[in-house]
């Protein structure tokens, strides 16, 4: 989408029409026809030419790849499931246990620093929404049990994304696209308990602080109603 500053620059410069697409429909609205007419420098339309199926396919493909950012390329080893169909976009991937830089609002009294976190499974949905889950182990399998993600800003499994200023990749690969989605989560300032409840057995503030210098305590994870990874891959 064109932002306001970019739009201002574009309409402030001189632009000229090059061509028009005209749609025709029969009286019973059962037949449709498209034609394209070139426009000369004087603004006059030229002779109409029928628009071919190949032209429309190229137009849609180029618009999708450049403007909608559909990822392509090699599949990363941590990508578990993907659906790239327009209107049905969904991606499921994971990170193994690791240390993560985390940022917190001052009122939580948790220092901005690196903390140990368990394995995380991400589920990105069409429209920009994201769910996150925790798992035990290094690499999940379809039978891996899922747990509530032990983080602030998560209600049940749904992430409150916040507004981190991260530019989306213009022509993303699957790898850069997943990296962008992860940044939207991890670079958001953690601020509140989702739903007002601790997603861990103990106080989340204390659990988080304890994971700064020690491995994350997996005994703190709360199961999600017998949910397994295979349930996300349908």
């Amino acid at each position: 989408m064109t932002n306001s500053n970019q739009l201002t620059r574009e309409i402030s410069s001189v632009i000229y029409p090059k061509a028009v697409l005209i749609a025709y429909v029969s009286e019973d609205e059962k037949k449709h026809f498209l034609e394209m007419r070139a426009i000369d420098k004087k603004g006059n339309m030229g002779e109409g030419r029928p628009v071919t199926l190949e032209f429309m396919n190229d137009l849609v493909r180029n618009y999708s790849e450049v403007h909608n950012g559909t990822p392509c390329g090699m599949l990363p080893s941590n990508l578990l499931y993907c659906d790239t169909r327009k209107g049905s976009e969904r991606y499921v991937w994971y990170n193994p246990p690791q240390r993560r830089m985390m940022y917190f609002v001052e009122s939580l009294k948790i220092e901005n620093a690196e903390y140990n976190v368990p394995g995380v499974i991400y589920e990105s949905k069409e429209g920009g929404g994201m769910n996150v889950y925790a798992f035990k182990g290094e690499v999940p399998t379809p039978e891996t049990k899922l747990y509530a993600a032990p983080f602030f800003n998560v209600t049940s499994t749904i992430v409150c994304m916040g507004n981190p200023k991260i530019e989306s990749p213009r022509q993303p690969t699957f790898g850069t696209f997943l990296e962008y989605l992860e940044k939207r989560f991890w670079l958001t300032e953690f601020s509140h308990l989702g739903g007002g409840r601790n997603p861990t057995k103990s106080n989340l503030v204390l659990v988080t602080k304890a994971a700064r210098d020690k491995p994350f305590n997996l005994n703190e994870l709360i199961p999600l109603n017998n949910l397994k990874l295979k349930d996300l891959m349908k």
Side-chain angles (χ1 to χ4, degrees):
M1 177 178 290
T2 305
N3 60 42
S4 57
N5 290 335
Q6 180 182 352
L7 181 60
T8 300
R9 290 195 298 270
E10 289 180 355
I11 63 178
S12 297
S13 60
V14 179
I15 56 177
Y16 301 94
K18 293 288 293 183
V20 295
L21 283 174
I22 302 176
Y24 299 89
V25 61
S26 61
E27 290 184 356
D28 57 8
E29 297 189 354
K30 292 183 178 181
K31 297 181 180 179
H32 299 79
F33 177 76
L34 277 177
E35 74 172 14
M36 182 172 63
R37 291 175 178 262
I39 300 177
D40 63 23
K41 294 182 178 179
K42 295 182 179 180
N44 299 315
M45 288 193 298
E47 181 180 353
R49 292 179 295 171
V51 174
T52 64
L53 180 61
E54 290 77 11
F55 173 85
M56 293 303 299
N57 285 338
D58 287 341
L59 183 66
V60 172
R61 182 175 64 252
N62 290 334
Y63 181 87
S64 298
E65 292 178 352
V66 175
H67 297 283
N68 288 354
T70 302
C72 61
M74 294 184 61
L75 300 180
S77 59
N78 65 328
L79 179 61
L80 302 169
Y81 175 92
C82 70
D83 185 344
T84 60
R85 294 174 298 170
K86 289 300 174 185
S88 302
E89 294 92 340
R90 194 161 71 91
Y91 303 86
V92 179
W93 74 103
Y94 79 96
N95 287 157
Q98 59 185 281
R99 290 181 64 81
R100 279 281 192 179
M101 184 67 197
M102 301 175 72
Y103 303 89
F104 304 89
V105 296
E106 186 176 352
S107 60
L108 289 177
K109 297 182 179 180
I110 305 176
E111 186 175 351
N112 296 336
E114 287 190 350
Y115 294 84
N116 291 302
V117 299
V120 177
I121 290 174
Y122 309 84
E123 180 186 21
S124 174
K125 297 184 176 182
E126 188 273 333
M130 178 184 287
N131 294 345
V132 291
Y133 312 81
F135 72 94
K136 296 180 179 180
E138 295 289 329
V139 180
T141 69
E143 295 297 326
T144 294
K145 294 181 180 180
L146 303 183
Y147 299 82
F151 308 118
F152 294 92
N153 298 10
V154 180
T155 301
S156 181
T157 64
I158 302 172
V159 175
C160 175
M161 299 298 289
N163 294 297
K165 296 180 179 179
I166 304 170
E167 185 175 352
S168 60
R170 288 283 304 200
Q171 293 180 314
T173 63
F174 283 103
T176 58
F177 183 65
L178 299 186
E179 181 182 2
Y180 160 71
L181 294 176
E182 288 181 25
K183 286 181 177 179
R184 291 185 62 206
F185 175 64
W186 292 105
L187 295 184
T188 296
E189 198 172 44
F190 291 106
S191 61
H192 63 280
L193 286 172
R197 301 175 56 185
N198 280 294
T200 49
K201 295 178 181 178
S202 305
N203 184 289
L204 182 57
V205 171
L206 300 179
V207 172
T208 303
K209 288 183 176 180
R212 182 171 180 181
D213 299 315
K214 298 179 181 179
F216 185 88
N217 184 1
L218 297 179
N219 292 326
E220 288 288 346
L221 296 179
I222 299 176
L224 288 171
N225 299 322
N226 296 319
L227 192 67
K228 296 182 178 181
L229 175 58
K230 64 182 180 182
D231 298 317
L232 307 183
M233 301 166 65
K234 297 179 179 179

